[in-house]
């Protein structure tokens, strides 16, 4: 788009440096790549080309920063005598947190209880598969895990089957009172 009848090529998609990409977990890298492609393919929302390109670049930078695994924590947050945090521990805590904070009670409970029980013993490859599932929209996670819809091939993994088996065992119950009891028990207030 442009003005005055002049057609301008779409803005160049900003690139994420390879060094920065290596800092991201594999599942997060695929999300950043997908988002970058979808953002650059979208319209400019009536903005001039320079403003649209700047908005796309800023959006990507914010998403990369948000999805990056930050292992720098203030010393006041560390246990006495501990100088740094382990990257795997940070990733596991983030996965559990993201599982418990989906914004939909049933999914919070289902994914949160699964994560609390299983994430601590997951391998790095299993965490990649689990994170790929967590990167989906909450409603899609619910539909895939409960079997209402078939997951796409990229999500149809051993981890998805473990989640589906977990959901089929009704670990969160089937009534509002059982949800409330489990929420209290799982410290998800």
């Amino acid at each position: 788009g442009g003005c005055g009848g002049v057609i301008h090529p779409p803005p160049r998609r900003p690139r994420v440096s390879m060094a920065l990409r290596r800092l991201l977990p594999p599942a997060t890298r695929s999300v950043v790549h997908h988002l970058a492609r979808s953002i650059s393919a979208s319209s400019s929302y009536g903005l001039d080309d320079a403003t649209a390109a700047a908005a796309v670049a800023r959006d990507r930078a914010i998403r990369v920063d948000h999805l990056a695994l930050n292992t720098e924590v203030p010393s006041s947050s560390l246990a006495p005598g501990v100088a740094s945090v382990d990257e795997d521990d940070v990733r596991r805590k983030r996965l559990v947190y993201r599982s418990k904070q989906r914004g939909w009670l049933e999914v919070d409970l289902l994914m949160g209880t699964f994560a609390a029980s299983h994430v601590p013993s997951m391998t790095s490859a299993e965490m990649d598969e689990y994170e790929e599932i967590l990167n989906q929209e909450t409603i899609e996670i619910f539909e895939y895990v409960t079997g209402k819809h078939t997951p796409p091939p990229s999500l149809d993994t051993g981890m998805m089957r473990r989640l589906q088996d977990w959901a089929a065992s009704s670990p969160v119950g089937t009534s509002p009172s059982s949800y409330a009891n489990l929420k209290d028990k799982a410290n998800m207030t």
Side-chain angles (χ1 to χ4, degrees):
C3 53
V6 178
I7 298 175
H8 297 281
R12 261 187 79 229
R13 186 173 54 195
R15 301 250 181 240
V16 176
S17 75
M18 287 307 289
L20 183 55
R21 260 188 217 155
R22 279 188 228 109
L23 294 174
L24 301 173
T28 303
R29 280 184 231 141
S30 70
V31 169
V32 170
H33 176 75
H34 173 73
L35 289 171
R37 291 184 58 166
S38 65
I39 291 168
S40 66
S42 67
S43 71
S44 62
Y45 300 101
L47 302 173
D48 64 72
D49 292 342
T51 304
V56 167
R58 181 68 180 135
D59 179 77
R60 265 187 100 191
I62 289 169
R63 289 176 191 272
V64 167
D65 184 52
H66 175 73
L67 295 172
L69 189 60
N70 184 1
T71 58
E72 294 178 20
V73 295
S75 59
S76 60
S77 296
L78 298 173
V82 176
S84 65
V85 294
D86 178 70
E87 186 175 306
D88 274 349
D89 288 342
V90 171
R91 187 172 184 204
R92 289 176 200 286
K93 288 178 182 182
R94 184 164 99 168
L95 289 172
V96 170
Y97 177 83
R98 288 184 62 203
S99 299
K100 290 181 176 182
Q101 303 295 324
R102 300 301 305 184
W104 187 5
L105 177 61
E106 292 85 349
V107 179
D108 292 351
L109 291 171
L110 183 65
M111 299 300 287
T113 57
F114 177 86
S117 295
H118 295 90
V119 167
S121 62
M122 284 183 186
T123 66
S124 183
E126 289 171 328
M127 286 191 290
D128 290 344
E129 286 183 11
Y130 187 66
E131 187 169 21
E132 188 71 31
I133 293 166
L134 286 180
N135 288 337
Q136 308 307 305
E137 292 294 328
T138 301
I139 185 69
E140 292 172 346
I141 292 172
F142 180 77
E143 291 171 345
Y144 299 150
V145 170
T146 59
K148 293 185 186 310
H149 293 291
T150 303
S154 63
L155 297 177
D156 195 8
T157 61
M159 185 56 62
M160 179 61 74
R161 286 183 285 288
R162 284 175 65 184
L163 278 163
Q164 290 169 332
D165 290 346
W166 178 261
S169 71
S170 295
V172 298
T174 56
S175 71
S177 62
S178 64
Y179 296 156
N181 289 337
L182 183 59
K183 187 176 175 183
D184 287 340
K185 183 179 175 186
N187 195 24
M188 296 175 65
T189 56

